Structures are given as structure tokens and as C-alpha cells.
Amino acid sequence: QMESAHAHTNVVFVLGYAGSGKGSVCEYLTQLHPSAFTHLSVGALLRQEQARGGPLSVLIQETIARGQLIAKEVSFRLLQDAIEKRNQELKDPTVHVYLVDGYPSSLDRLELWEATMGQNSILLYLDCPLDILQERLLKRGRSDDTLECIESRNRTFTEHILPVVRYFQQQERAILVN
């Protein structure tokens, strides 16, 4: 079997419901050790792509507004491009860790990742009570943080993301933080 060009890309997927603190944890670790970590947020990458106004911008805007998942190839490609760009800037990418916030958001995305990038990843799962999450999101003030959108994201999380968490737990590649 041929080794993937990305076999030495170290990834910690950071998952949790919207508002669980994924971005805050990733930013904290990145600020603490900037030479060791790079924080990549799939949501931020999608918002950047949307702001660029390319052909995907309308699709991304409508899908985010509905609280639904973006096509797996789109989010994967944006993430892969960001990793390749950062790897070019690093002296030794094999000792660097990518904190990937909000990905993989479904088992088919995880399958695409592992088929292309390998199985050299672990999961950091941030668990938080739903009432606290809702309070945080409403305070955050982003345009997609409406009650309707929050409920839709929570359903998406339960249906699509929790199976990813279970997969990593079964593989003994998950760290749970309450």
C-alpha cells in the first residue's frame, strides 16, 4: 500500500455542539504554543470562501443560513488546501499539530478524510449542557445564531456528528472534556 503524502500530518479534530467552546479551546492552545499548533475552523474557512464571492458563496450562504451541512467535497477541499498552504510555511510539518474545529461533521466526511489523509488523527470532544450552549450562542451575536438555526444545528449534531464521536471512542482515539 502506498503511503499518503499526508501520512505525517498530525490532526486533532475538535468536535462539540455549536457554542461548546471549540474555537476558544483551539485559539487558546494556538496562542500558548504557536509553533506547535495551527487552528483551522471549517466554519471560518467556509465564511472566508463565501466572503470571496466565488461560485460557491451563494451555496455556502444558503446552506449555513439553514443550519445544514455543506457538501463534503467542498469542506474537505478547503481544509486540505489550508493544510497544504500552512505545511509550506513550516520548517518541519511532521512535528506540527492541526487543531481542526468542526470537522468531520459526518461519517462520510470522516471516510473521505481517512481515505485521503490517513488515520493519524484523534478526537477532542467538548461536551456541554444544551441550555448553556443556547445561552452562549444567543450572546455571541452572529447572524446565523437564531433559535431556529441553533435547533437545526443541534439536530444535525445529534444525527451526523455524534456517530463520528462514537467511531473515535470505539477506536480509542477520543478524548472527552466536560
Side-chain angles (χ1 to χ4, degrees):
Q1 181 172 336
M2 197 169 89
E3 187 173 298
S4 163
H6 301 282
H8 300 292
T9 301
N10 305 303
V11 173
V12 176
F13 293 121
V14 183
L15 292 178
Y17 282 95
S20 61
K22 299 179 300 289
S24 298
V25 166
C26 292
E27 283 302 311
Y28 175 75
L29 291 171
T30 301
Q31 288 173 2
L32 209 58
H33 301 287
S35 63
F37 296 110
T38 295
H39 172 210
L40 295 174
S41 163
V42 171
L45 292 171
L46 288 167
R47 286 187 289 277
Q48 287 168 9
E49 185 65 25
Q50 179 186 341
R52 264 197 282 277
L56 295 174
S57 63
V58 173
L59 169 74
I60 291 169
Q61 181 177 352
E62 291 173 353
T63 308
I64 289 175
R66 289 192 304 265
Q68 296 175 335
L69 296 175
I70 300 289
K72 68 181 180 184
E73 296 80 9
V74 173
S75 52
F76 176 76
R77 188 81 210 143
L78 292 173
L79 198 51
Q80 191 178 36
D81 289 350
I83 288 172
E84 286 173 3
K85 181 180 178 197
R86 181 69 175 123
N87 276 347
Q88 290 171 3
E89 299 167 358
L90 297 168
K91 287 181 185 160
D92 185 0
T94 64
V95 298
H96 198 74
V97 176
Y98 289 93
L99 302 169
V100 180
D101 155 8
Y103 191 91
S105 51
S106 64
L107 285 172
D108 65 330
R109 284 162 167 69
L110 176 61
E111 289 166 7
L112 174 61
W113 177 274
E114 290 190 341
T116 311
M117 305 291 279
Q119 286 192 316
N120 51 330
S121 56
I122 63 169
L123 173 72
L124 178 62
Y125 173 53
L126 306 180
D127 198 13
C128 185
L130 290 177
D131 56 330
I132 292 173
L133 297 171
Q134 185 171 315
E135 184 182 320
R136 286 181 185 173
L137 290 171
L138 292 173
K139 281 183 186 173
R140 187 166 73 174
R142 280 200 334 227
S143 63
D144 58 333
D145 286 336
T146 63
L147 275 176
E148 183 182 330
C149 194
I150 291 168
E151 288 173 8
S152 175
R153 274 188 260 158
N154 287 345
R155 279 192 304 277
T156 297
F157 185 90
T158 302
E159 293 170 22
H160 298 282
I161 301 173
L162 278 182
V164 173
V165 173
R166 285 190 210 100
Y167 169 84
F168 276 97
Q169 288 172 325
Q170 290 166 354
Q171 300 273 318
E172 297 183 359
R173 294 165 46 203
I175 300 166
L176 172 66
V177 178
N178 287 331

